[in-house]
Amino acid sequence: MVQQSTHRIIFVGGTAGCGKSTIGELLTETLNSQASSISGDDNKDKAGKSTDSTKTSVFIEGDKYHPQANIEKMAHGIPLHDDDRWGWLENLGNLARQESTKYQNVIVSCSMLKLAYRDLLRKTIHGGSEDDGVEVFMFLLYNDYQVIYDRMTKREGHFMKAEMLKSQFTDLELPDVTKEHNCFKVDCNEDSPDVITSKVLKIMESSTY
Ligand SMILES: Nc1ncnc2c1ncn2[C@@H]1O[C@H](COP(=O)(O)OP(=O)(O)O)[C@@H](O)[C@H]1O
Ligand SMILES: O=C(O)[C@H](O)[C@@H](O)[C@H](O)[C@H](O)COP(=O)(O)O
């Protein structure tokens, strides 16, 4: 079990369109609701969401932190290269670390397709020491190409178009949990966001600290 005093940084990753934002947001809301029902603090807004004063978890949408040049590249259908990604990943790692001093759980959506990207995130967060009271979890949401492609063609107003999905699958390096601590592939199939979020929570619950 994760110790109560441990702050968690939970990355939700995978290819474009796999559901990072959807699951990241739902996971954050679920953790906030759990915390407010445990504390008996029922400060909810009209939509039933936890209010700021009760929040123990925060969501960071990784796409919001891309430099403009990256957004323009992707919007023009040009896949990013490693050199476009290092600075973005480092910023996200630093931001997550910073937020973890304020929140019990920091949830970050970030594709982190390659092992080297995940290594950089872990290194940025922990520096030299992993014994720093911050536990990093990484989840790579996985679904069949066609399922994601179809969803992306229906998604409106996003800079990333479905045609970019091929290059995302080419870059994708799925994790092997025996080699990457606390890094898990989550098979999404046709599961609903609620079911996927429960899977993620269950994995964290059963992981040892
Ligand atoms: N489990 C799911 N079942 C059905 N549709 C989903 C599911 N997860 C996400 N979606 C839909 O798929 C699209 C892509 O999801 P999104 O969260 O934006 O992915 P990402 O952040 O990984 O690019 C959105 O239109 C979203 O509503
Ligand atoms: O919502 C999406 O479609 C994705 O999140 C998408 O925006 C993309 O995956 C990365 O943010 C770009 O970076 P990568 O090329 O490193 O995935």
Side-chain angles (χ1 to χ4, degrees):
M1 278 293 230
V2 174
Q3 291 173 359
Q4 278 291 313
S5 60
T6 304
H7 286 229
R8 298 186 294 196
I9 298 177
I10 306 162
F11 286 96
V12 184
T15 64
C18 70
K20 300 182 290 294
S21 307
T22 306
I23 303 306
E25 279 170 16
L26 188 57
L27 183 60
T28 309
E29 183 50 32
T30 306
L31 288 167
N32 275 323
S33 296
Q34 285 179 353
S36 60
S37 64
I38 288 170
S39 71
D41 190 347
D42 244 356
N43 289 345
K44 302 243 170 100
D45 63 17
K46 281 182 192 151
K49 295 192 171 185
S50 308
T51 60
D52 278 348
S53 65
T54 61
K55 277 186 182 164
T56 57
S57 303
V58 69
F59 177 59
I60 299 173
E61 170 60 70
D63 277 350
K64 286 204 182 134
Y65 295 87
H66 274 298
Q68 191 55 29
N70 283 5
I71 307 244
E72 275 167 27
K73 248 182 134 169
M74 292 187 274
H76 285 92
I78 306 166
L80 301 182
H81 287 299
D82 290 354
D83 287 341
D84 302 313
R85 289 166 172 148
W86 301 128
W88 170 60
L89 292 164
E90 223 166 343
N91 278 344
L92 277 183
N94 282 321
L95 180 61
R97 174 80 210 200
Q98 212 176 304
E99 291 296 285
S100 73
T101 60
K102 298 183 247 162
Y103 294 92
Q104 194 74 37
N105 300 293
V106 180
I107 296 89
V108 190
S109 66
C110 171
S111 43
M112 51 175 195
L113 299 172
K114 298 184 186 178
L115 169 63
Y117 305 162
R118 302 191 288 271
D119 281 343
L120 177 61
L121 287 169
R122 286 183 282 250
K123 190 170 151 227
T124 306
I125 288 165
H126 290 305
S129 152
E130 292 208 3
D131 191 18
D132 55 4
V134 176
E135 180 93 337
V136 175
F137 284 90
M138 292 179 166
F139 296 93
L140 273 285
L141 308 182
Y142 186 79
N143 223 328
D144 287 342
Y145 178 90
Q146 200 55 46
V147 173
I148 300 181
Y149 184 88
D150 290 347
R151 283 180 192 163
M152 281 180 79
T153 54
K154 287 183 202 124
R155 184 172 69 171
E156 284 174 9
H158 197 285
F159 56 78
M160 197 83 164
K161 300 294 170 235
E163 286 59 41
M164 298 280 279
L165 193 56
K166 262 212 172 89
S167 72
Q168 293 265 300
F169 268 82
T170 305
D171 282 352
L172 178 63
E173 294 170 4
L174 287 170
D176 173 350
V177 74
T178 63
K179 297 194 180 116
E180 276 187 82
H181 180 60
N182 276 352
C183 185
F184 306 90
K185 174 189 175 212
V186 180
D187 285 308
C188 297
N189 310 310
E190 297 292 328
D191 291 344
S192 69
D194 278 330
V195 170
I196 298 164
T197 302
S198 299
K199 280 185 184 178
V200 167
L201 285 167
K202 215 173 255 175
I203 293 171
M204 282 197 292
E205 281 299 309
S206 58
S207 292
T208 50
Y209 177 57

